[in-house]
Amino acid sequence: MATETSVEIADEGLAGEARPLAERLTSGAAASGLAAGDATLWGADAESEASIRLSWTTLHETSRPLLAEIDALRAELHADGVDRVVLAGMGGSSLAPEVIAATAGVPLTVLDTTDPGQVGDALSGDLDRTVLVVSSKSGNTVETDSHRRIFEAAFSANGIDPATRIVVVTDPGSPMETAAREAGYRRVFTADPNVGGRYSALTAFGLVPAGLAGADIATLLDDAATAFELVSADSESNPAIRLAAAWAAAHEHGAEKLVLADGGSGIPGFGDWAEQLIAESTGKQGTGLLPVVVENSEAPGFADAGRDATTIAIGGAVDGAQLVTTGPLGAQFLLWEFATALAGKLLGINPFDQPDVEAAKKAARALLDGPSGGPVVTPVLVSGQIEVHASGDWFSAGVGTVAEALRAFVKSAPSTGYLAVQAYLDRLDDASAALLRPELARRTGLQTTFGWGPRFLHSTGQYHKGGHQNGAFLQITGEPENDLDVPDRPYTLASLQRAQALGDGQVLMQHNRPVLRLHLTDRAAGLVELVKAVQDLHDERGGA
């Protein structure tokens, strides 16, 4: 893993286009202003929100007291024979700790799903050795609340006092803090409320789960502190300024997509964390930067990127990379956060709000009021183990196969648009669904993203509704083998999962975006059929 924090602009043309934007940031003292918490950087409309969202710039200092508290709790738990950490959290509450733990090579079971199979697998672990970390900034995240209720009941059913096995991370004064203290949970950590979820990697939300799992979070803060001196400088050599200027320059020339590949960083999953940070921060007002996380530098979308995309290698140079970032994890967190906030200034948007996220949540809640997550939906086509659900002008009544439905769906996307595969499945047992991303990208020539539902709703979901309106959305849902009741709630996990998929689909269709939902009546067999249908796809764009 690289120890020096840097950004190289390998594309000479992009470097030249970025230079005046870097000069603008430098002459305007944007980096030092950001470091000092200047809420006026993004204009009058953003000032109110920015004024309560900038404490993340100094977390390398303010989070230090957490280190001893986390170490002490970990020692207590180990003394009680508790060494298995399960994290219930979504978006900013799960992506950073998962990356931290994976980079450190320590086990952390992450629940950022409503899939009953995946939650059931986590429940089947050794509960006698398990502590559940429940993380929610707002304190009312429906997925996380459901996980807490299910685990609390499971602990009790196994003769374990749930209060001794539940640790809470939340904002001070949230409903979860009140409920946790009343329940007498083992520990309640309150994070700095002036930090937004996607900027919270170095708060209690990132440090508590990873630290309890055994990651070296002190070094993480040390590396961030070293990087702070670089990213807060008003200099064109500032790597955050270089990165932000390159992104904005590319965007000005129609390259609104950022294709992220690992270049030997030693940081597994960093792209997924950066995806939320960038998409949710910039994807609004019909503009923004869409991260496309790919499997490697030889993957479709990176190796054959068109003029609508900028390729970025994380950790070291690779063939085809226009930008290269290096540095240890703590430094990369700060580098990308600073770059994203500065890019927001150049794009003319507020990087700290998320105005379009709530719409899908409201739609899902409305569906949950109905039986089984909403009304019965009749497929337009059934082929083998796949039910096809589609509506809109793009779908023809003459479509008779899944491959034909996919072909019509792909044609509905603009030539410089993108496809978004949204898999409301078990990301462990149904992991083969991820093969759909490179297969679709290879055969269509379109930039293609892949997200596990519902976690992407807390990530790229904002961009889908608020960013460039040139996406087409492929939802994959599946019949679960077993369901799980959510204690004291009128729904099961499967009905919640279904409502989230249908609710988001409704909102996307209200934005006049093409949505194709393929429901797998048998997940394993259906995935095989679906991959085959994609492999048989021959698109008029000139794909394989």
Side-chain angles (χ1 to χ4, degrees):
M1 184 190 304
T3 57
E4 181 182 349
T5 304
S6 67
V7 169
E8 176 191 356
I9 306 179
D11 183 309
E12 291 185 7
L14 180 58
E17 293 164 357
R19 194 167 296 116
L21 297 180
E23 291 172 354
R24 186 195 309 175
L25 291 174
T26 301
S27 62
S32 62
L34 174 57
D38 181 358
T40 68
L41 288 171
W42 301 272
D45 290 343
E47 187 172 348
S48 175
E49 182 76 20
S51 67
I52 56 170
R53 288 289 178 262
L54 293 175
S55 290
W56 55 269
T57 63
T58 55
L59 288 170
H60 53 281
E61 297 174 350
T62 58
S63 287
R64 294 282 173 181
L66 277 172
L67 300 179
E69 298 176 40
I70 295 169
D71 283 345
L73 177 57
R74 184 167 187 260
E76 289 176 19
L77 291 167
H78 280 223
D80 293 344
V82 178
D83 58 2
R84 176 178 180 252
V85 182
V86 177
L87 169 61
M90 301 297 297
S93 298
S94 65
L95 293 168
E98 185 167 46
V99 172
I100 297 168
T103 302
V106 298
L108 175 66
T109 299
V110 176
L111 288 181
D112 52 3
T113 180
T114 46
D115 189 84
Q118 192 173 335
V119 176
D121 285 345
L123 279 174
S124 67
D126 190 347
L127 291 180
D128 286 335
R129 296 174 40 238
T130 298
V131 59
L132 178 72
V133 180
V134 182
S135 288
S136 170
K137 181 176 174 64
S138 67
N140 55 18
T141 307
V142 64
E143 300 95 336
T144 303
D145 178 68
S146 298
H147 299 150
R148 178 189 63 80
R149 292 173 181 275
I150 290 169
F151 266 79
E152 194 168 55
F155 282 135
S156 295
N158 283 270
I160 301 168
D161 179 3
T164 67
R165 298 301 186 82
I166 297 179
V167 172
V168 164
V169 184
T170 189
D171 272 5
S174 75
M176 181 176 287
E177 184 195 12
T178 301
R181 296 199 187 281
E182 289 176 353
Y185 289 157
R186 180 127 191 183
R187 185 62 195 269
V188 179
F189 291 89
T190 54
D192 189 327
N194 292 329
V195 178
R198 56 190 176 273
Y199 292 85
S200 66
L202 300 180
T203 69
F205 288 105
L207 301 183
V208 169
L212 292 180
D216 179 2
I217 53 178
T219 297
L220 196 73
L221 295 180
D222 291 343
D223 290 337
T226 300
F228 178 78
E229 301 303 320
L230 294 173
V231 299
S232 60
D234 294 315
S235 165
E236 290 178 42
S237 64
N238 175 336
I241 287 178
R242 289 170 62 81
L243 196 56
W247 291 349
H251 184 273
E252 283 185 1
H253 291 82
E256 80 274 13
K257 306 171 188 81
L258 305 177
V259 189
L260 311 181
D262 188 76
S265 68
I267 307 174
F270 184 82
D272 293 332
W273 173 83
E275 179 183 54
Q276 181 198 16
L277 173 71
I278 299 167
E280 200 167 69
S281 295
T282 69
K284 57 202 72 170
Q285 300 176 19
T287 191
L289 299 162
L290 176 68
V292 180
V293 182
V294 300
E295 297 74 23
N296 52 61
S297 61
E298 298 178 354
F302 194 98
D304 57 353
R307 298 180 65 181
D308 63 333
T310 302
T311 52
I312 307 175
I314 302 163
V318 297
D319 288 344
Q322 295 167 277
L323 296 170
V324 181
T325 74
T326 61
L329 178 55
Q332 291 273 13
F333 279 148
L334 212 60
L335 166 62
W336 287 67
E337 288 169 346
F338 263 75
T340 299
L342 294 172
K345 178 174 174 61
L346 294 173
L347 293 174
I349 52 91
N350 174 4
F352 305 113
D353 66 350
Q354 47 282 331
D356 300 290
V357 165
E358 192 62 28
K361 296 179 183 179
K362 288 181 179 178
R365 285 195 291 266
L367 287 167
L368 281 174
D369 290 338
S372 301
V376 174
V377 182
T378 303
V380 297
L381 167 69
V382 177
S383 176
Q385 302 299 323
I386 302 176
E387 295 178 350
V388 178
H389 298 263
S391 61
D393 294 341
W394 65 272
F395 187 81
S396 168
V399 168
T401 67
V402 174
E404 289 174 357
L406 285 168
R407 186 171 297 112
F409 167 72
V410 168
K411 288 177 67 177
S412 72
S415 59
T416 56
Y418 68 98
L419 303 180
V421 183
Q422 304 170 337
Y424 290 84
L425 301 169
D426 182 330
R427 69 178 172 120
L428 301 179
D429 288 351
D430 301 323
S432 63
L435 293 172
L436 294 169
R437 195 218 71 80
E439 291 292 342
L440 279 167
R442 180 179 293 111
R443 282 163 172 75
T444 67
L446 290 166
Q447 287 294 341
T448 303
T449 67
F450 181 91
W452 294 104
R455 81 176 197 166
F456 77 84
L457 294 175
H458 299 255
S459 181
T460 50
Q462 165 62 41
Y463 184 98
H464 294 159
K465 290 89 167 178
H468 293 275
Q469 293 301 290
N470 57 4
F473 301 89
L474 175 62
Q475 294 185 327
I476 314 296
T477 56
E479 205 66 30
E481 288 188 13
N482 299 291
D483 202 353
L484 283 173
D485 291 327
V486 180
D488 300 320
R489 285 292 182 265
Y491 49 80
T492 66
L493 280 186
S495 60
L496 173 57
Q497 184 182 45
R498 178 179 185 272
Q500 290 173 315
L502 269 62
D504 191 49
Q506 287 179 0
V507 175
L508 289 168
M509 285 187 281
Q510 289 167 8
H511 282 71
N512 297 315
R513 302 318 311 150
V515 179
L516 172 64
R517 182 167 71 91
L518 303 179
H519 182 73
L520 313 179
T521 53
D522 178 289
R523 292 193 182 190
L527 279 172
V528 171
E529 292 176 18
L530 178 52
V531 170
K532 186 176 185 299
V534 170
Q535 291 173 339
D536 289 343
L537 184 63
H538 295 273
D539 182 59
E540 287 81 355
R541 297 177 194 280

